[in-house]
Amino acid sequence: MLETSASDHAVYKPHIVAIANQKGGVGKTTTAVNLAASLAASGAPVLLIDFDPQGNASTGLGVASQDRGAGSYQLIDDGAPASIETYHTKYPGLWLIPAGPDLVGAEVELAAKTRREFQLRDALSAWRAAAPFRYILIDCPPSLGLLTLNALVAADGVLVPLQCEFYALEGVSGLTRTIEMVRRRLNPALRLRGVVLTMYDKRNNLSDLVAEDARGFFGDWVYETVIPRNVRLSEAPSHGMPVSEYDPRSAGAQAYAQLAEELLRRDSVPAASAVAR
Ligand code: ADP
Ligand code: MG
């Protein structure tokens, strides 16, 4: 919801969305980077938090290691930081908190802390109300470890990328159980926000079967927009660009633009259907 402050600057309470699936290679980072860029291009300012020690989202947005500053490690380093350092990308409306090298040891360090699941939430909570973003997207690592748990505890919603391949739904129950556990014990506000089918290949019957299965399992939570397998999406990160910049006419760029539109559309509708699953 857009609010207007006394100074007439737009002030948002950003939606915090964790992009999670404990499987690697399903399209989390590709979705995080390109959805963020597409939302920003549609006029919804976005902060993307790279929460994977591999730092693929940071690389994908062309931010070199030496430019990553405090990075997302500052968000899990005990207590609310006085200020949060963000990196303004060269794309209007798109900010990043990159993943620096410190993040590699973070899971182990987190394990020793008392509020180990709440570090990110604590860091964002005071800051969030005044943060000039419509969305904060969190690109999670491929595990259900403490970094992902921190993301789920800080978030209002989880977006799950599901790769259209044979084992897609295997392991999904682990993820839905984790979401349920987090909601019960740590963050009652957490909701499944949507499932996005990725790497859909229309020449492969299996893709349709997986899509059908996913819709059977998740129902309306599956976005209508399906992300096709598209080589431009896999090339763009090596140029440090979102696909919308690398090849705006590609099927991949169009699909992520459409996903951003769908997300914005769903968010502008009163959340009558947004009941807990
Ligand atoms: P994750 O973050 O879940 O590990 P990535 O987003 O890094 O997954 O994707 C894994 C690999 O698949 C990457 O090399 C990426 O470029 C590629 N990829 C992701 N989505 C697509 C797609 N729709 N079409 C083609 N390649 C894709
Ligand atoms: Mg990734």
Side-chain angles (χ1 to χ4, degrees), residues 32-48:
V33 166
N34 293 301
L35 179 61
S38 298
L39 285 168
S42 313
V46 180
L47 170 67
L48 173 59

Side-chain angles (χ1 to χ4, degrees), residues 21 23-31 52 56 139-140 142 161 198-200 227-235 237 256:
N21 184 332
K23 275 195 191 182
V26 298
K28 286 183 292 299
T29 301
T30 305
T31 298
D52 182 349
N56 294 341
D139 184 25
C140 293
T198 65
M199 297 183 238
Y200 178 85
I227 309 299
R229 187 172 277 286
N230 176 238
V231 69
R232 301 310 238 177
L233 284 168
S234 56
E235 290 167 358
Y256 276 109

Side-chain angles (χ1 to χ4, degrees), residues 235-261:
E235 290 167 358
S238 64
H239 300 270
M241 293 174 187
V243 72
S244 51
E245 179 79 6
Y246 177 62
D247 185 353
R249 294 222 296 255
S250 62
Q254 286 172 12
Y256 276 109
Q258 201 183 326
L259 182 64
E261 243 173 64

